[in-house]
Amino acid sequence: MPGFTIDKERLQDKTKLFLRVNYTTSIISILFGALCYFFLNITQIIPFALAGFAILNIINLLYFKAHKNIVPTFNFSSIIGLITAVVVTVYSGGIHSPFIFMIPLIAFGGFINSTRYGRIYLNIIIILILLIFTQTIPELRITENLVTEESSSVFSLVSVLFAVFILGNTLGKTLLKTYNAMYSSKRALAMQVHEKENLLKEVHHRVKNNLQTVSSLLSLQSRNIETGPMKGLLKGTQNRVIAMAMVHEMLYMRNDISHIEYKSYVQELSEYLIRSIKGNDNNVDLIIDIPDIKLGIDTAIPLGLLINETLTNALKYGIESDQDGEISIKLQKDNEQENCYILEIGDNGIGFPETINHKNTKSLGLKLIHNLTRQLRGTIQRDNSKKGTNYIIKFQEIKQQLSPVA
């Protein structure tokens, strides 16, 4: 709706400019024709052409009030204006006539109305000027100069003033007013965008704070449980909440509030999980191969949760106790499909049998990995060519808000 309103206002401004220019041109044409006939002793063709244009143009503008269609009104005014300008030019000196400056103004008016009409009239005018030039060749001349030497100076002066008035006083002032209005609108829109960005940053900040509060509550609750599955469940849930909070924190901290640099996010998330599960003094090597890739929040969060689940499984079950281990994460664009990516993630631990999958296991982490892949409209397969548990996941960048993980 805002775009429709702007287009409507732009059309209204064009219509006002067109009507103003044409009413002014018609009035000046009548006065110019009367000057030629009564004072400059030009009693043939030129004054009648000017008066005829003025009358037809005013009728055309009055008819516009009935049908409200600016396109045929503009084209009719431009055609009769072009014909009048050519007639007056060829009968007042041809290529040497000062009135010839009125002809390019029609092309200029076409460009103001639309680039399409401006180009059409520009091409027509180039041909007409070449034809006018032929009237300087005696063998091809079919017209005569009706402006006498005594009146030529005054005719030239009025012709130039006519062109200057139309171009400067009417078009110039209106275009300047339009430019100022556009500049003011642009500045107002820039301020609105800046305010919305600040508001959205504040939203991300508050969401991050709320998620950190939830994480703290889960941490406090897990301290009351010494051992057992419930403690591990709470810890896993806490890590998932932190994985989501990191996305909102990065969006808040950076200028681009719609995308995050995914390498730094994966680096921070992976190092946190390794410290959280294996401790600060661990023997886990982290290898990350991610180029300059930026992802939107609708892709970043489910992909972050997927990486969280994969690394959690690797650290808890793949790399045993204090054994040496290696975790590798590689993310790259898929050159074969647009807006698609390939994630290679895994460890060199003990792995698990191929007979176990997300359908027959009770592992929530494994189920989540497959569900999150489906949420990213992707596919997942195990890479059995490497030691341990490794996945190759192909997914799409999501452009809309995702539904919750089922």
Side-chain angles (χ1 to χ4, degrees):
M1 289 302 291
F4 175 77
T5 303
I6 293 173
D7 290 339
K8 186 177 179 181
E9 291 178 355
R10 188 181 300 141
L11 179 60
Q12 290 176 347
D13 290 339
K14 283 185 178 181
T15 303
K16 289 179 181 178
L17 172 61
F18 169 75
L19 294 175
R20 182 181 302 172
V21 170
N22 277 270
Y23 275 121
T24 305
T25 305
S26 299
I27 294 172
I28 295 176
S29 295
I30 292 176
L31 296 175
F32 193 11
L35 176 68
C36 291
Y37 190 86
F38 293 107
F39 297 98
L40 300 181
N41 198 28
I42 304 172
T43 58
Q44 298 181 43
I45 300 177
I46 293 177
F48 298 104
L50 292 168
F53 162 76
I55 294 169
L56 289 175
N57 198 34
I58 290 174
I59 293 173
N60 182 42
L61 297 176
L62 293 175
Y63 185 56
F64 167 75
K65 294 181 178 180
H67 60 75
K68 300 295 184 182
N69 192 345
I70 191 64
V71 175
T73 304
F74 165 77
N75 285 323
F76 184 77
S77 291
S78 299
I79 291 170
I80 63 174
L82 191 57
I83 293 172
T84 303
V86 171
V87 170
V88 174
T89 299
V90 296
Y91 282 100
S92 61
I95 201 70
H96 303 293
S97 172
F99 202 83
I100 199 170
F101 293 109
M102 293 300 301
I103 298 177
L105 288 181
I106 297 172
F108 182 64
F111 278 109
I112 292 175
N113 187 70
S114 73
T115 304
R116 174 191 169 193
Y117 290 120
R119 287 175 179 171
I120 292 173
Y121 289 115
L122 177 61
N123 294 329
I124 294 173
I125 285 168
I126 290 173
I127 296 172
L128 290 175
I129 290 176
L130 293 175
L131 292 175
I132 292 171
F133 176 76
T134 62
Q135 296 305 293
T136 61
I137 303 173
E139 295 79 6
L140 300 177
R141 184 182 300 164
I142 59 175
T143 62
E144 59 179 319
N145 188 355
L146 300 176
V147 180
T148 62
E149 281 191 29
E150 293 79 10
S151 59
S152 62
S153 298
V154 178
F155 182 86
S156 298
L157 174 64
V158 176
S159 297
V160 173
L161 290 176
F162 191 178
V164 170
F165 184 84
I166 297 298
L167 182 61
N169 189 54
T170 306
L171 291 176
K173 285 173 63 176
T174 307
L175 288 175
L176 181 61
K177 180 181 177 182
T178 304
Y179 171 79
N180 290 333
M182 289 177 61
Y183 177 78
S184 299
S185 299
K186 183 179 179 180
R187 186 171 59 181
L189 286 173
M191 291 178 63
Q192 290 179 4
V193 170
H194 182 67
E195 290 175 359
K196 289 182 178 179
E197 286 180 349
N198 288 337
L199 180 61
L200 192 54
K201 278 191 172 185
E202 183 64 23
V203 169
H204 284 304
H205 184 58
R206 295 193 179 191
V207 170
K208 180 211 62 168
N209 288 344
N210 290 338
L211 289 173
Q212 286 182 337
T213 300
V214 174
S215 173
S216 298
L217 291 173
L218 291 172
S219 178
L220 289 172
Q221 187 66 40
S222 64
R223 291 176 186 176
N224 297 327
I225 303 173
E226 295 183 359
T227 56
M230 184 57 68
K231 187 176 183 65
L233 182 62
L234 289 174
K235 185 61 178 177
T237 304
Q238 182 185 1
N239 290 341
R240 295 177 189 116
V241 171
I242 290 175
M244 290 187 288
M246 284 183 180
V247 172
H248 291 281
E249 182 178 17
M250 288 189 169
L251 289 173
Y252 169 71
M253 295 295 292
R254 286 164 175 77
N255 291 328
D256 187 355
I257 57 175
S258 59
H259 295 80
I260 66 170
E261 299 170 356
Y262 219 66
K263 180 177 181 179
S264 58
Y265 169 75
V266 172
Q267 184 86 35
E268 188 174 335
L269 176 62
S270 302
E271 290 175 353
Y272 162 76
L273 290 173
I274 293 173
R275 290 195 307 269
S276 176
I277 297 174
K278 292 295 188 181
N280 292 326
D281 298 326
N282 58 77
N283 299 314
V284 179
D285 290 331
L286 178 63
I287 301 174
I288 295 178
D289 181 10
I290 300 176
D292 183 17
I293 292 177
K294 293 184 178 181
L295 297 176
I297 186 172
D298 294 325
T299 306
I301 287 181
L303 184 61
L305 290 172
L306 189 154
I307 293 172
N308 174 81
E309 298 303 324
T310 307
L311 296 189
T312 299
N313 286 348
L315 294 167
K316 289 174 67 175
Y317 309 115
I319 302 173
E320 295 182 311
S321 60
D322 296 330
Q323 297 294 318
D324 293 344
E326 181 181 283
I327 289 176
S328 62
I329 305 171
K330 181 179 181 180
L331 179 63
Q332 61 184 345
K333 283 190 173 182
D334 189 350
N335 295 325
E336 297 179 358
Q337 291 181 291
E338 189 177 359
N339 294 325
C340 290
Y341 297 86
I342 301 174
L343 172 66
E344 298 178 31
I345 184 170
D347 63 85
N348 65 346
I350 61 174
F352 63 90
E354 294 184 20
T355 55
I356 298 177
N357 55 54
H358 67 286
K359 295 180 179 179
N360 58 23
T361 184
K362 294 182 179 180
S363 170
L364 176 61
L366 192 57
K367 291 180 181 294
L368 277 174
I369 291 172
H370 283 264
N371 286 346
L372 289 164
T373 301
R374 188 173 67 250
Q375 185 170 309
L376 289 166
R377 300 171 190 168
T379 59
I380 181 172
Q381 65 180 42
R382 285 188 65 178
D383 185 1
N384 296 320
S385 64
K386 298 179 181 178
K387 180 187 176 183
T389 304
N390 295 273
Y391 296 105
I392 299 176
I393 300 169
K394 295 183 179 181
F395 65 92
Q396 300 181 30
E397 184 173 8
I398 307 301
K399 298 294 185 181
Q400 60 185 10
Q401 187 63 38
L402 299 172
S403 58
V405 179

